[in-house]
Amino acid sequence: MKKLLILSLIAFILVGCSNTDLSKSSQTTTTDNKSSNGELNIEDVEGYWECKSDEDGILLKLGWKNDIDLYYIDGSREKNSYSVTDSSIDSIGIEMKTDNGISNITIKSDDNGDTIALKRNEKTHYFIRIPKDKFYIKLDEEYGGK
């Protein structure tokens, strides 16, 4: 009886360990599949952005709660919400909602989200990613406050 109990305990431990390995390998496979699906996702471009061109003078916050904030050189701010409509290997289609209605935006990136081009109303703005703490410093120093 003791031998049977010990054998069943060993079998239980071995099965438990192999299940843990299987779940780890399935998580790895899921992650690999997600990154190899070839789509640029909204998570890839969420964050804080500075316009490359000085003449445009725009800071962009593409947020984690479906919000897009645009800060202009004159200190004004445009607060919008969005929903993703399309995604491909180098672009994301977005439907942006403002108080004035809905407009379509395309975000493109050819370097996995380190720089983006945001096309809206037939005008394209080019942005580089900046750290969150630098974003607020830029608002204070260059844009006259938050």
Side-chain angles (χ1 to χ4, degrees):
M1 186 70 171
K2 272 186 171 178
K3 287 183 183 179
L4 185 60
L5 184 59
I6 290 173
L7 284 175
S8 59
L9 181 61
I10 290 172
F12 179 73
I13 290 172
L14 289 176
V15 169
C17 290
S18 67
N19 282 345
T20 304
D21 292 339
L22 282 174
S23 69
K24 283 182 185 175
S25 83
S26 71
Q27 285 176 350
T28 305
T29 305
T30 304
T31 305
D32 291 343
N33 287 343
K34 186 177 179 184
S35 62
S36 67
N37 68 3
E39 289 185 2
L40 185 65
N41 293 308
I42 199 69
E43 292 83 11
D44 299 327
V45 297
E46 285 174 335
Y48 303 85
W49 300 87
E50 178 180 11
C51 204
K52 282 184 177 181
S53 168
D54 290 338
E55 65 192 69
D56 288 318
I58 302 172
L59 287 179
L60 167 71
K61 184 183 87 171
L62 189 63
W64 289 266
K65 295 182 180 176
N66 291 15
D67 58 316
I68 296 177
D69 294 341
L70 293 165
Y71 298 85
Y72 296 97
I73 193 97
D74 64 2
S76 62
R77 174 183 176 195
E78 186 179 337
K79 189 166 178 55
N80 309 296
S81 62
Y82 71 86
S83 56
V84 175
T85 58
D86 190 24
S87 178
S88 69
I89 193 164
D90 65 349
S91 69
I92 302 168
I94 289 178
E95 203 172 68
M96 190 168 84
K97 298 170 186 124
T98 66
D99 292 338
N100 300 330
I102 295 174
S103 61
N104 292 315
I105 290 179
T106 304
I107 295 174
K108 291 192 173 198
S109 176
D110 59 2
D111 55 7
N112 300 320
D114 290 327
T115 61
I116 60 171
L118 186 144
K119 185 173 183 178
R120 173 185 177 200
N121 300 332
E122 299 186 18
K123 185 169 184 183
T124 303
H125 302 283
Y126 297 92
F127 291 91
I128 55 172
R129 192 185 294 272
I130 58 175
K132 179 179 181 177
D133 57 341
K134 301 288 189 229
F135 178 82
Y136 289 112
I137 288 170
K138 284 203 167 289
L139 285 182
D140 286 339
E141 291 174 359
E142 297 178 17
Y143 294 88
K146 292 180 186 175

